[in-house]
Amino acid sequence: MTKIEVNGTRLAYDEAGSGTPVVLVHAGIADRRMWRGQVAALAERHRVIVPDLRGYGESELPPSPFAHHDDLVGLLDALGIDRAALVGCSFGGRVAVDTALAYPDRISALALFGAPVSGNEWSEETERLWDELVGEVDPEDFAASAAGEVRFWVVGPSRQPADVDPELIRFAEEMDQRALAAEQALSAVEVGEIDPPAIDRLGELRMPVLAGAGADDLGDIRRLADRIAAEAPHGVRLPDVPDSGHLLPLERPEPVNAALLAFLP
């Protein structure tokens, strides 16, 4: 792990390999460790950069306004990278899309797994599922909150916890407890958003875009992958990966790696 000065903070990141640059952007319920199944495979062909977003993992959080998309491009600047492909999962996919819209000349390609989009509104179906699967949880109880979020996102609405590798559940809950603490700290800081948001701007994504999801992820997420691939001019929809939830790259690294190696420039 290395730390580097970016926009008035110090971001933690890992780096491996050489070749065309690829930045892996973690989910909001995780940190950079969720990409443990991708780094070695991609590093055979690419310079792979795996940061913790500001406030998450081992990255710092000064009490000053910032935007995650500005930080990603600041990271490229600090590392002397003119253009890079972004690979994002969940919230990391949202950040990747916002970065590509804010700085289109800096992003060579986008690969998105289980990605929401800024400006998207969740359906009544998703809100109902949250109430059924998670319900009321004390937000100060990070262990209980993480268990609920992992049940909702990682296991997903169409599976039971017994259907999922218990080590995956344990690791996801451990990452999410740290992420929940990060989100609590981030709530006290002004975090900038792109304006207008991405949901009605997907046609501006002129770079190649790959959109995918786990077959056991939320219907809203799978429909968003459909929409991203349909509206981005060079969008491609990866077929839903069977027996996988929201943290698709972590749960099913082999099909994700194969898709990325075929897609990335």
Side-chain angles (χ1 to χ4, degrees):
M1 184 274 291
T2 304
K3 286 193 175 183
I4 193 168
E5 292 286 336
V6 173
N7 295 340
T9 192
R10 297 176 73 224
L11 298 183
Y13 72 99
D14 298 319
E15 181 171 350
S18 61
T20 53
V22 177
V23 180
L24 309 181
V25 192
H26 63 80
I29 62 171
D31 53 52
R32 73 183 194 278
R33 293 175 294 163
M34 68 157 286
W35 299 105
R36 63 188 185 183
Q38 281 67 55
V39 174
L42 297 181
E44 294 181 4
R45 302 184 189 177
H46 300 279
R47 180 184 179 186
V48 183
I49 312 296
V50 194
D52 281 327
L53 294 172
R54 185 185 299 219
Y56 289 86
E58 296 176 275
S59 288
E60 298 175 8
L61 183 65
S64 55
F66 78 100
H68 288 299
H69 53 272
D70 292 336
D71 277 358
L72 279 188
V73 170
L75 178 63
L76 298 184
D77 291 340
L79 294 173
I81 297 172
D82 291 330
R83 299 178 78 231
L86 298 183
V87 180
C89 178
S90 186
F91 178 69
R94 169 178 165 151
V95 173
V97 170
D98 286 353
T99 306
L101 290 170
Y103 300 94
D105 295 338
R106 305 296 301 275
I107 309 306
S108 59
L110 282 177
L112 309 169
F113 299 102
V117 178
S118 60
N120 174 66
E121 294 185 4
W122 298 112
S123 68
E124 292 183 3
E125 172 196 13
T126 292
E127 293 176 355
R128 175 181 55 79
L129 284 169
W130 179 270
D131 290 339
E132 291 177 0
L133 296 176
V134 182
E136 294 291 333
V137 179
D138 180 358
E140 298 297 322
D141 187 341
F142 291 161
S145 295
E149 290 193 346
V150 168
R151 173 64 184 90
F152 184 78
W153 291 111
V154 179
V155 176
S158 59
R159 299 189 292 184
Q160 296 298 317
D163 300 327
V164 179
D165 179 0
E167 169 58 21
L168 173 66
I169 291 177
R170 185 208 63 77
F171 183 48
E173 288 184 359
E174 188 267 312
M175 285 194 296
D176 194 24
Q177 287 190 53
R178 294 183 66 182
L180 287 164
E183 289 171 357
Q184 185 178 73
L186 284 160
S187 68
V189 179
E190 181 181 340
V191 183
E193 303 278 354
I194 62 167
D195 185 25
I199 189 64
D200 293 320
R201 299 174 60 188
L202 300 175
E204 298 176 32
L205 298 172
R206 300 294 176 177
M207 65 290 295
V209 177
L210 177 70
D216 296 293
D217 206 341
L218 297 175
D220 276 6
I221 290 291
R222 289 182 279 111
R223 287 186 288 270
L224 274 171
D226 292 340
R227 180 171 176 180
I228 292 166
E231 295 186 18
H234 305 290
V236 175
R237 178 65 159 94
L238 180 71
D240 288 345
V241 178
D243 192 24
S244 56
H246 196 57
L247 295 187
L248 173 58
L250 178 62
E251 186 172 8
R252 296 284 176 256
E254 293 83 3
V256 168
N257 294 348
L260 288 173
L261 288 170
F263 170 75
L264 291 170

PDB file of all heavy atoms in Angstrom, residues 191-204:
ATOM      1  N   VAL A 191     -19.700  16.881   0.095  1.00  0.00           N
ATOM      2  CA  VAL A 191     -19.245  16.033  -1.013  1.00  0.00           C
ATOM      3  C   VAL A 191     -19.956  16.498  -2.282  1.00  0.00           C
ATOM      4  O   VAL A 191     -21.187  16.447  -2.382  1.00  0.00           O
ATOM      5  CB  VAL A 191     -19.534  14.549  -0.741  1.00  0.00           C
ATOM      6  CG1 VAL A 191     -18.989  13.690  -1.886  1.00  0.00           C
ATOM      7  CG2 VAL A 191     -18.920  14.116   0.588  1.00  0.00           C
ATOM      8  N   GLY A 192     -19.201  16.960  -3.266  1.00  0.00           N
ATOM      9  CA  GLY A 192     -19.764  17.512  -4.487  1.00  0.00           C
ATOM     10  C   GLY A 192     -20.307  16.445  -5.423  1.00  0.00           C
ATOM     11  O   GLY A 192     -19.837  15.311  -5.453  1.00  0.00           O
ATOM     12  N   GLU A 193     -21.317  16.827  -6.205  1.00  0.00           N
ATOM     13  CA  GLU A 193     -21.931  15.950  -7.210  1.00  0.00           C
ATOM     14  C   GLU A 193     -21.899  16.652  -8.558  1.00  0.00           C
ATOM     15  O   GLU A 193     -21.871  17.889  -8.629  1.00  0.00           O
ATOM     16  CB  GLU A 193     -23.389  15.651  -6.833  1.00  0.00           C
ATOM     17  CG  GLU A 193     -23.581  15.035  -5.461  1.00  0.00           C
ATOM     18  CD  GLU A 193     -23.339  13.540  -5.462  1.00  0.00           C
ATOM     19  OE1 GLU A 193     -23.127  12.969  -6.564  1.00  0.00           O
ATOM     20  OE2 GLU A 193     -23.365  12.941  -4.368  1.00  0.00           O
ATOM     21  N   ILE A 194     -21.939  15.885  -9.642  1.00  0.00           N
ATOM     22  CA  ILE A 194     -22.015  16.514 -10.949  1.00  0.00           C
ATOM     23  C   ILE A 194     -23.435  17.055 -11.156  1.00  0.00           C
ATOM     24  O   ILE A 194     -24.403  16.516 -10.633  1.00  0.00           O
ATOM     25  CB  ILE A 194     -21.617  15.567 -12.092  1.00  0.00           C
ATOM     26  CG1 ILE A 194     -22.560  14.364 -12.180  1.00  0.00           C
ATOM     27  CG2 ILE A 194     -20.181  15.110 -11.952  1.00  0.00           C
ATOM     28  CD1 ILE A 194     -22.391  13.579 -13.475  1.00  0.00           C
ATOM     29  N   ASP A 195     -23.550  18.127 -11.925  1.00  0.00           N
ATOM     30  CA  ASP A 195     -24.827  18.774 -12.181  1.00  0.00           C
ATOM     31  C   ASP A 195     -24.881  19.200 -13.647  1.00  0.00           C
ATOM     32  O   ASP A 195     -24.028  19.964 -14.092  1.00  0.00           O
ATOM     33  CB  ASP A 195     -24.999  19.986 -11.257  1.00  0.00           C
ATOM     34  CG  ASP A 195     -26.369  20.636 -11.387  1.00  0.00           C
ATOM     35  OD1 ASP A 195     -27.322  19.928 -11.784  1.00  0.00           O
ATOM     36  OD2 ASP A 195     -26.475  21.841 -11.099  1.00  0.00           O
ATOM     37  N   PRO A 196     -25.869  18.686 -14.410  1.00  0.00           N
ATOM     38  CA  PRO A 196     -26.920  17.760 -14.014  1.00  0.00           C
ATOM     39  C   PRO A 196     -26.376  16.353 -13.781  1.00  0.00           C
ATOM     40  O   PRO A 196     -25.285  16.021 -14.254  1.00  0.00           O
ATOM     41  CB  PRO A 196     -27.895  17.789 -15.189  1.00  0.00           C
ATOM     42  CG  PRO A 196     -27.076  18.220 -16.357  1.00  0.00           C
ATOM     43  CD  PRO A 196     -26.020  19.132 -15.823  1.00  0.00           C
ATOM     44  N   PRO A 197     -27.136  15.530 -13.048  1.00  0.00           N
ATOM     45  CA  PRO A 197     -26.652  14.183 -12.729  1.00  0.00           C
ATOM     46  C   PRO A 197     -26.612  13.293 -13.968  1.00  0.00           C
ATOM     47  O   PRO A 197     -27.090  13.653 -15.049  1.00  0.00           O
ATOM     48  CB  PRO A 197     -27.663  13.687 -11.698  1.00  0.00           C
ATOM     49  CG  PRO A 197     -28.891  14.479 -11.953  1.00  0.00           C
ATOM     50  CD  PRO A 197     -28.437  15.821 -12.423  1.00  0.00           C
ATOM     51  N   ALA A 198     -26.071  12.084 -13.777  1.00  0.00           N
ATOM     52  CA  ALA A 198     -25.755  11.211 -14.913  1.00  0.00           C
ATOM     53  C   ALA A 198     -26.958  10.526 -15.531  1.00  0.00           C
ATOM     54  O   ALA A 198     -26.893  10.132 -16.700  1.00  0.00           O
ATOM     55  CB  ALA A 198     -24.740  10.159 -14.464  1.00  0.00           C
ATOM     56  N   ILE A 199     -28.054  10.363 -14.799  1.00  0.00           N
ATOM     57  CA  ILE A 199     -29.115   9.473 -15.256  1.00  0.00           C
ATOM     58  C   ILE A 199     -29.658   9.858 -16.633  1.00  0.00           C
ATOM     59  O   ILE A 199     -30.026   8.987 -17.431  1.00  0.00           O
ATOM     60  CB  ILE A 199     -30.259   9.400 -14.203  1.00  0.00           C
ATOM     61  CG1 ILE A 199     -31.262   8.306 -14.556  1.00  0.00           C
ATOM     62  CG2 ILE A 199     -30.912  10.753 -14.038  1.00  0.00           C
ATOM     63  CD1 ILE A 199     -30.700   6.909 -14.536  1.00  0.00           C
ATOM     64  N   ASP A 200     -29.694  11.137 -16.942  1.00  0.00           N
ATOM     65  CA  ASP A 200     -30.199  11.567 -18.247  1.00  0.00           C
ATOM     66  C   ASP A 200     -29.074  12.001 -19.189  1.00  0.00           C
ATOM     67  O   ASP A 200     -29.324  12.674 -20.195  1.00  0.00           O
ATOM     68  CB  ASP A 200     -31.202  12.718 -18.073  1.00  0.00           C
ATOM     69  CG  ASP A 200     -32.470  12.266 -17.369  1.00  0.00           C
ATOM     70  OD1 ASP A 200     -32.959  11.156 -17.661  1.00  0.00           O
ATOM     71  OD2 ASP A 200     -32.973  13.020 -16.505  1.00  0.00           O
ATOM     72  N   ARG A 201     -27.841  11.593 -18.880  1.00  0.00           N
ATOM     73  CA  ARG A 201     -26.695  11.994 -19.694  1.00  0.00           C
ATOM     74  C   ARG A 201     -25.891  10.801 -20.197  1.00  0.00           C
ATOM     75  O   ARG A 201     -24.756  10.951 -20.636  1.00  0.00           O
ATOM     76  CB  ARG A 201     -25.785  12.918 -18.875  1.00  0.00           C
ATOM     77  CG  ARG A 201     -26.452  14.198 -18.411  1.00  0.00           C
ATOM     78  CD  ARG A 201     -25.541  14.997 -17.489  1.00  0.00           C
ATOM     79  NE  ARG A 201     -24.303  15.371 -18.146  1.00  0.00           N
ATOM     80  CZ  ARG A 201     -23.263  15.932 -17.527  1.00  0.00           C
ATOM     81  NH1 ARG A 201     -23.326  16.155 -16.224  1.00  0.00           N
ATOM     82  NH2 ARG A 201     -22.166  16.258 -18.194  1.00  0.00           N
ATOM     83  N   LEU A 202     -26.467   9.610 -20.141  1.00  0.00           N
ATOM     84  CA  LEU A 202     -25.715   8.413 -20.512  1.00  0.00           C
ATOM     85  C   LEU A 202     -25.290   8.446 -21.983  1.00  0.00           C
ATOM     86  O   LEU A 202     -24.282   7.847 -22.351  1.00  0.00           O
ATOM     87  CB  LEU A 202     -26.547   7.162 -20.221  1.00  0.00           C
ATOM     88  CG  LEU A 202     -26.935   6.986 -18.745  1.00  0.00           C
ATOM     89  CD1 LEU A 202     -27.868   5.793 -18.581  1.00  0.00           C
ATOM     90  CD2 LEU A 202     -25.687   6.814 -17.879  1.00  0.00           C
ATOM     91  N   GLY A 203     -26.031   9.164 -22.802  1.00  0.00           N
ATOM     92  CA  GLY A 203     -25.657   9.308 -24.208  1.00  0.00           C
ATOM     93  C   GLY A 203     -24.388  10.107 -24.429  1.00  0.00           C
ATOM     94  O   GLY A 203     -23.816  10.088 -25.527  1.00  0.00           O
ATOM     95  N   GLU A 204     -23.914  10.798 -23.373  1.00  0.00           N
ATOM     96  CA  GLU A 204     -22.663  11.547 -23.484  1.00  0.00           C
ATOM     97  C   GLU A 204     -21.434  10.670 -23.250  1.00  0.00           C
ATOM     98  O   GLU A 204     -20.305  11.143 -23.443  1.00  0.00           O
ATOM     99  CB  GLU A 204     -22.648  12.690 -22.460  1.00  0.00           C
ATOM    100  CG  GLU A 204     -23.745  13.730 -22.658  1.00  0.00           C
ATOM    101  CD  GLU A 204     -23.723  14.786 -21.559  1.00  0.00           C
ATOM    102  OE1 GLU A 204     -22.619  15.101 -21.053  1.00  0.00           O
ATOM    103  OE2 GLU A 204     -24.817  15.270 -21.185  1.00  0.00           O
TER     104      GLU A 204
END
